[in-house]
Amino acid sequence: MMILNNKELDLEINYFDKKNETLDREYLEKLQLTKLVKTVDQALKIEFYKKRLNGIGIKSGRDIKSFEDFKKIPFTSKDELRSSYPKGFLSVDMDDVIRLHTSSGTTGVPTVIYHTRNDIENWAFLTARCMMAAGATKKDIFQNMTGYGLFTGGLGMHYGAEKIGMTVIPAGSGNTKRQIQMMKDFKTTVVHATPSYMLHIYDIIVEEGINLSELSLKRAFLGAEPYGEQTRKKLEDLLKIDVYNSYGLSEMNGPGVSFECIYKNGMHTWEDFFILEIIDPVTGKVLEDGKQGEIVFTTLDREATPILRYRTKDLTHVYKGRCECGRVHRRISRITGRTDDMLIINGANVFPSQIEEVIMKYPEVGTNYQIFLTNKGALDKLTVKVEIYSKMFKGEISELDSLKKRIADHIKSAIIVNPTVELHEPGSLPVSEGKAKRVIDERSKL
Ligand code: ADP
Ligand code: ZN
């Protein structure tokens, strides 16, 4: 059990939808197969899937009789979704579509997902399940600090929070001083944001000289980008709150796919709405629980844009065993990064999250950092820029030099690459209100 702050200990385990969150695993798998039949029928209305499924002898959903049959279906890639932009994956009449969303486009052309009224309803239902699993109740004041618009974080969590009956403040992202003012004025108890924005919020709280006792904040739901256990710990310690990880992607609605319960021990993935598989990203082989690999999702209730065996590029593993909260839906670990986030620095494979984990261990540095890559000839140079936390220093140069060396040695032992560590003034590195851009790769391709 990994409860980091103790506030939750006297809290009851809440369920938004107890029956379906705790159902029998055997029944859950049968339910998945039943829903799969409908999903495949729905997918067959899309030209792309019709060709693909007919090609392997699947003419109707009823041809999928087992998970073995299901595993014969080829993966769908992000590029395939992109190449069908804008309407290639639409399987209902446009009159039945009530909304569309796109991905953030972090790694290229965005993908478009259409939603019917049922799709939107199901999505709200799932984000409600998530937030309640993480301790939210109708008594909470919920400040939603992610972008409202095409980005799925805003509207996705908004409707789930309303379903629970929380008081929703649709703040959107940005305007940090106002966000903090609202937290004070409305006695916000729960926030939703990206981890990088939450770190920035903390900086501004300090800058404005606000005492934590002026706030009523109890928990933060943070997601949309990778962050490590050290970042969680830092935020929990600094803000005296509980932080829960939230994972989702617009192709699977957005938030509401996987979420931590109050035990903070992996993210429950709603398997009555999605089939979760972990595959070896190189061979495509499905891996058993516990093995690290790429997440593959299949939608089970989507009407407007059903997606079969979607390769997310996100890396994680499934936790073995049941969670103490009683939910049967399997848990995934933190996302290490995307397969295409991996940096190759002088031949070594490095995920930015490994560097972040080291930086966040140092109370002497602030919450913002950047990873810079340049090259000279065949040799790559890694520079890690971090902001110092001015309160911790007496102003002696030797202190700063010793800190730089300690961080550099620590990073080197974590990733085997020797970095140059630069210390910067507080507030001098660029800040993001949504997904942070931490890595600047200026290496020229040879
Ligand atoms: P884009 O793929 O363009 O960023 P989305 O807004 O749909 O568009 O973002 C989904 C992606 O964000 C996921 O595939 C994953 O890489 C990342 N992500 C979302 N939540 C988390 C999380 N809790 N931890 C790590 N990465 C996350
Ligand atoms: Zn749990």
Side-chain angles (χ1 to χ4, degrees):
M1 199 161 90
M2 279 186 37
I3 297 179
L4 298 176
N5 280 356
N6 287 331
K7 287 186 207 133
E8 303 288 12
L9 285 173
D10 53 358
L11 217 149
E12 270 181 53
I13 298 171
N14 289 323
Y15 303 94
F16 183 72
D17 175 23
K18 185 165 186 186
K19 179 167 154 270
N20 291 307
E21 292 177 43
T22 58
L23 40 76
D24 184 70
R25 244 279 15 131
E26 224 172 281
Y27 177 77
L28 175 62
E29 282 163 23
K30 276 195 199 128
L31 182 69
Q32 286 186 321
L33 275 177
T34 317
K35 287 189 174 191
L36 202 52
V37 172
K38 248 176 87 183
T39 298
V40 169
D41 278 334
Q42 196 65 11
L44 281 162
K45 295 177 191 160
I46 297 172
E47 214 32 56
F48 170 87
Y49 280 128
K50 187 168 177 227
K51 235 168 114 187
R52 171 159 285 184
L53 294 170
N54 287 352
I56 54 165
I58 297 171
K59 299 241 156 40
S60 126
R62 283 188 307 278
D63 292 331
I64 307 284
K65 295 193 173 62
S66 64
F67 285 107
E68 289 317 304
D69 292 339
F70 165 67
K71 284 182 189 152
K72 289 186 199 131
I73 300 174
F75 299 120
T76 306
S77 70
K78 196 164 188 123
D79 282 340
E80 283 164 340
L81 279 191
R82 280 178 180 148
S83 63
S84 72
Y85 184 91
K87 273 196 179 166
F89 276 73
L90 177 62
S91 74
V92 297
D93 197 282
M94 202 58 190
D95 289 356
D96 294 324
V97 171
I98 65 161
R99 199 196 303 162
L100 67 83
H101 276 279
T102 69
S103 65
S104 308
T106 311
T107 55
V109 181
T111 53
V112 191
I113 303 297
Y114 297 91
H115 298 276
T116 63
R117 194 169 295 283
N118 284 336
D119 292 336
I120 292 289
E121 179 62 20
N122 285 337
W123 181 13
F125 188 75
L126 291 182
T127 51
R129 264 193 197 175
C130 289
M131 289 187 273
M132 206 134 165
T137 71
K138 66 188 295 253
K139 293 201 170 69
D140 280 302
I141 313 288
F142 176 66
Q143 190 164 325
N144 195 6
M145 306 193 292
T146 51
Y148 275 71
L150 287 169
F151 178 62
T152 53
L155 290 169
M157 293 292 257
H158 180 102
Y159 287 109
E162 285 190 352
K163 248 189 201 314
I164 292 176
M166 291 195 261
T167 305
V168 183
I169 309 171
S173 67
N175 208 341
T176 309
K177 286 185 187 160
R178 189 158 161 250
Q179 299 274 10
I180 297 167
Q181 190 62 43
M182 284 196 282
M183 283 184 203
K184 272 168 65 178
D185 295 346
F186 300 122
K187 301 196 168 15
T188 302
T189 55
V190 180
V191 292
H192 174 226
T194 58
S196 49
Y197 190 54
M198 201 65 208
L199 288 165
H200 178 60
I201 296 252
Y202 175 73
D203 288 343
I204 303 299
I205 288 177
V206 173
E207 203 179 293
E208 296 284 292
I210 289 165
N211 197 313
L212 287 181
S213 62
E214 295 172 59
L215 304 177
S216 311
L217 204 56
K218 282 197 269 191
R219 35 176 91 70
F221 303 145
L222 305 183
E225 62 186 3
Y227 63 113
E229 214 44 62
Q230 284 302 328
T231 304
R232 168 184 1 228
K233 197 170 169 330
K234 185 152 195 163
L235 281 168
E236 292 193 326
D237 290 349
L238 293 174
L239 285 159
K240 309 278 177 281
I241 56 169
D242 284 286
V243 168
Y244 300 90
N245 196 3
S246 159
Y247 165 77
L249 59 162
S250 57
E251 293 84 354
M252 298 294 129
N253 299 337
V257 179
S258 311
F259 217 90
E260 282 179 334
C261 69
I262 56 169
Y263 291 98
K264 295 178 186 168
N265 201 359
M267 296 182 281
H268 288 284
T269 300
W270 302 122
E271 294 180 87
D272 51 343
F273 282 79
F274 306 100
I275 293 181
L276 163 70
E277 299 173 276
I278 304 289
I279 62 161
D280 179 321
V282 180
T283 63
K285 194 174 148 262
V286 177
L287 301 174
E288 60 195 71
D289 288 358
K291 294 255 158 60
Q292 175 85 1
E294 177 180 347
I295 307 177
V296 170
F297 279 127
T298 299
T299 62
L300 285 175
D301 285 77
R302 267 279 185 70
E303 290 177 341
T305 310
I307 304 181
L308 305 175
R309 306 195 82 202
Y310 179 65
R311 286 188 67 155
T312 61
K313 298 192 176 181
D314 293 326
L315 298 170
T316 189
H317 67 269
V318 170
Y319 283 22
K320 289 185 183 164
R322 290 280 169 88
C323 181
E324 288 172 74
C325 73
R327 291 180 179 82
V328 297
H329 303 261
R330 282 180 303 162
R331 291 160 296 153
I332 55 171
S333 78
R334 269 178 199 290
I335 313 292
T336 329
R338 309 187 202 218
T339 44
D340 41 18
D341 280 345
M342 196 183 74
L343 303 165
I344 302 179
I345 311 174
N346 293 328
N349 296 344
V350 175
F351 279 101
S353 55
Q354 293 173 282
I355 299 176
E356 180 188 290
E357 277 295 271
V358 173
I359 296 171
M360 291 297 158
K361 284 195 178 124
Y362 287 82
E364 300 94 322
V365 300
T367 52
N368 205 0
Y369 69 95
Q370 258 190 347
I371 298 168
F372 255 77
L373 287 163
T374 48
N375 60 350
K376 213 174 189 182
L379 214 62
D380 298 326
K381 183 169 184 306
L382 166 67
T383 307
V384 180
K385 302 185 178 186
V386 291
E387 287 179 6
I388 51 167
Y389 192 38
S390 41
K391 274 200 212 150
M392 309 277 301
F393 290 95
K394 291 195 227 80
E396 284 163 29
I397 304 269
S398 60
E399 263 183 317
L400 299 177
D401 281 345
S402 132
L403 176 65
K404 266 200 265 189
K405 185 166 174 349
R406 275 185 292 140
I407 299 178
D409 288 349
H410 201 153
I411 292 177
K412 171 142 196 242
S413 68
I415 63 172
I416 332 174
V417 177
N418 219 343
T420 301
V421 172
E422 283 181 8
L423 300 178
H424 289 253
E425 291 275 312
S428 61
L429 295 176
V431 175
S432 98
E433 291 162 356
K435 294 184 192 238
K437 183 158 175 45
R438 300 287 196 196
V439 180
I440 316 281
D441 194 343
E442 289 183 342
R443 289 177 291 184
S444 53
K445 309 267 176 305
L446 294 172

